[in-house]
Amino acid sequence: MKINDNYLKLKSSYLFSTIAKKVREYEAKNPDKQIIRLGIGDVTKPLAPEVIKAMHGAVDEMACEETFQGYPPEYGQKFLLDAINDFDFRRLGVEIDNDEIFVSDGAKSDTGNIGDIFSVDNVVALCDPIYPVYVDTNVMAGRSGDALDGGKFSKFVYLPCLEENNFLPSLPTQKVDLIYLCFPNNPTGMAITKDELQKWVDYANENDAVILYDAAYESFITQENVPHSIYECENAKTCAIEFRSFSKTAGFTGVRCGYTVVPKALERDGVSLNGLWSRRQATKFNGVSYITQKAAAAVYSQEGRKQVEDTIKFYLNNAKVIKEGLVEAGFTAYGGVNSPYVWLKTPEGMTSWEFFDFLLEEVQVVGTPGSGFGPAGEGYFRLTAFGSAENTKKAIERITKRFKK
Ligand code: MLT
């Protein structure tokens, strides 16, 4: 018997598990300290009243023989697919068929699982820094080559996102097959314009590459020229798969629901990727519960939409408080305008983890070290806007008091 020894190339624990463990240990030793958590991007506001109402209604339906539902349709209930289609695509002038949408338990699973339909020989291009799931799942699959000193892997193509390029990656200079893009970006909080994204679409079409586009944060977009979907770009349906999530949009981090769009026009090696993903999902996934899909559909109702938008505005205001507070105190900070994440430079030459330890121990604020998102994140730190207004304000006061110039 042999194990999948690709796993041995990974750090022993997932970034957010490592952070949670450190915080638990600190808490156990310092039970009297009040810790403020602005680390993992987990929401704090409860589900919208319309969502709760829909869930209660669905529970009642499940309690009755006439309306009870067993296995859900493999790829999503029609009422949810219709709502997604109308609101997320048709409204933008994008034509997507319902059978191009695959409802799932979230974008983390889908971005992690999508590799199943691609050969292990494909060359993977990744922004650096980036959401660690894309990196780790490709290591697990055997696409990474060897782990190098400094946190990189020999076969990945890294696309640095730095201050110099306004945190936007440049097109690869060598042949790549799979390109992971996430906009608005996790972790930098920076967005891409439609014209810039079009360059990636053109590149992928010309070079037979596939873009895996994570749009989990699209509902935080506030600026006009920023696309909500990659399919707003011309010819994206022949080169891009898009991932969406209800987690940050509607507070579903615990409920779990998202969806992935695999256009039928997207073919490689003469094979439809839509067909491959349908086959993969039907085999390895059993659909999302009726109650959850009812909850997700309620997000698109008129009242639901309004409630969810109010919550997003609330988080965006937290992001503003974080960013403005930091900048006023002399920090360099990015993001937070089309995103719930603020990306700041660590002060006084501290490494990302030194700053993490400092904040935890000195002011009891938890953030995420930039280097956890990749080597180019070293010297940076991420704070999320998903806390309460009170804690957000308090956290920034605590941090800036220590560093005010
Ligand atoms: C994050 O903090 O980067 C996210 O919460 C992770 C996730 O969505 O899985």
Side-chain angles (χ1 to χ4, degrees):
M1 204 289 292
K2 284 188 174 169
I3 56 152
N4 177 354
D5 58 4
N6 292 314
Y7 278 65
L8 306 180
K9 298 176 188 171
L10 294 166
K11 289 211 176 74
S12 60
S13 96
Y14 180 57
L15 172 64
F16 292 105
S17 315
T18 307
I19 293 171
K21 185 164 173 270
K22 270 182 172 262
V23 176
R24 274 197 310 274
E25 284 168 2
Y26 177 83
E27 213 170 15
K29 282 192 210 135
N30 303 277
D32 53 317
K33 301 275 192 209
Q34 193 238 346
I35 298 173
I36 300 178
R37 290 172 168 79
L38 303 182
I40 191 165
D42 197 2
V43 294
T44 52
K45 284 260 179 215
L47 296 169
E50 276 305 292
V51 169
I52 292 293
K53 197 163 90 190
M55 289 178 99
H56 280 301
V59 169
D60 289 342
E61 286 182 71
M62 293 297 259
C64 188
E65 202 156 332
E66 290 74 45
T67 47
F68 169 77
Q69 304 245 351
Y71 287 124
E74 288 151 324
Y75 310 124
Q77 297 275 0
K78 185 172 181 312
F79 61 78
L80 178 56
L81 297 171
D82 285 344
I84 289 171
N85 212 332
D86 279 348
F87 192 86
D88 289 344
F89 299 105
R90 219 160 274 144
R91 199 174 55 103
L92 303 174
V94 172
E95 275 306 316
I96 296 283
D97 290 338
N98 277 8
D99 59 1
E100 296 177 303
I101 302 169
F102 298 84
V103 175
S104 72
D105 64 340
K108 179 177 180 180
S109 324
D110 284 359
T111 54
N113 291 329
I114 195 74
D116 278 15
I117 65 169
F118 297 106
S119 161
V120 76
D121 300 327
N122 284 311
V123 176
V124 176
L126 297 150
C127 293
D128 179 18
I130 200 57
Y131 183 38
V133 168
Y134 318 150
V135 179
D136 290 4
T137 54
N138 277 290
V139 174
M140 291 169 179
R143 291 193 190 92
S144 67
D146 299 326
L148 306 173
D149 290 345
K152 288 192 178 178
F153 289 90
S154 60
K155 285 192 182 165
F156 289 159
V157 172
Y158 291 88
L159 310 168
C161 296
L162 308 162
E163 243 179 345
E164 297 90 277
N165 55 14
N166 207 22
F167 301 97
L168 283 184
S170 303
L171 294 171
T173 50
Q174 65 196 94
K175 168 81 182 117
V176 299
D177 304 304
L178 291 173
I179 303 166
Y180 286 80
L181 294 179
C182 171
F183 287 108
N185 185 260
N186 180 12
T188 66
M190 299 297 269
I192 194 166
T193 61
K194 191 167 156 190
D195 289 348
E196 282 298 320
L197 187 57
Q198 185 67 54
K199 290 183 194 162
W200 284 91
V201 168
D202 294 343
Y203 171 90
N205 277 320
E206 279 156 25
N207 291 280
D208 198 34
V210 172
I211 297 174
L212 302 171
Y213 192 72
D214 187 348
Y217 299 93
E218 65 76 34
S219 50
F220 291 84
I221 293 172
T222 57
Q223 290 178 324
E224 289 262 306
N225 56 350
V226 176
H228 287 254
S229 164
I230 194 166
Y231 304 116
E232 289 178 61
C233 295
E234 260 173 56
N235 302 320
K237 283 195 208 161
T238 52
C239 69
I241 292 176
E242 180 164 301
F243 305 92
R244 293 282 191 103
S245 167
F246 292 93
S247 286
K248 318 294 155 99
T249 305
F252 276 40
T253 51
V255 176
R256 308 302 313 150
C257 195
Y259 67 88
T260 289
V261 178
V262 189
K264 286 176 282 192
L266 176 50
E267 291 188 357
R268 289 296 179 267
D269 284 343
V271 175
S272 152
L273 299 191
N274 178 285
L276 295 187
W277 186 244
S278 320
R279 188 70 175 84
R280 192 265 172 216
Q281 288 300 81
T283 308
K284 292 197 181 181
F285 185 65
N286 236 345
V288 173
S289 84
Y290 179 69
I291 299 162
T292 297
Q293 294 199 56
K294 276 286 185 185
V299 171
Y300 296 102
S301 66
Q302 213 179 350
E303 200 45 36
R305 198 61 238 161
K306 200 189 153 304
Q307 293 165 357
V308 160
E309 275 165 14
D310 285 348
T311 302
I312 288 172
K313 277 191 199 136
F314 169 86
Y315 290 136
L316 280 169
N317 191 55
N318 282 347
K320 193 164 175 254
V321 168
I322 296 173
K323 193 169 173 186
E324 288 182 358
L326 290 171
V327 170
E328 213 173 287
F331 281 82
T332 305
Y334 298 92
V337 174
N338 296 298
S339 161
Y341 296 131
V342 176
W343 188 240
L344 58 124
K345 271 179 130 169
T346 56
E348 298 169 7
M350 284 189 216
T351 67
S352 302
W353 277 108
E354 279 166 1
F355 191 54
F356 174 90
D357 289 333
F358 181 89
L359 288 190
L360 178 60
E361 280 155 30
E362 301 295 322
V363 295
Q364 292 77 48
V365 173
V366 180
T368 309
S371 55
F373 297 99
E378 183 55 275
Y380 286 88
F381 200 76
R382 193 194 76 175
L383 291 173
T384 93
F386 287 122
S388 69
E390 194 195 343
N391 275 346
T392 302
K393 191 164 162 270
K394 216 186 276 176
I396 295 308
E397 275 165 10
R398 288 189 196 174
I399 298 172
T400 53
K401 214 155 111 194
R402 295 302 295 243
F403 291 98
K404 216 161 209 146
K405 288 187 180 141

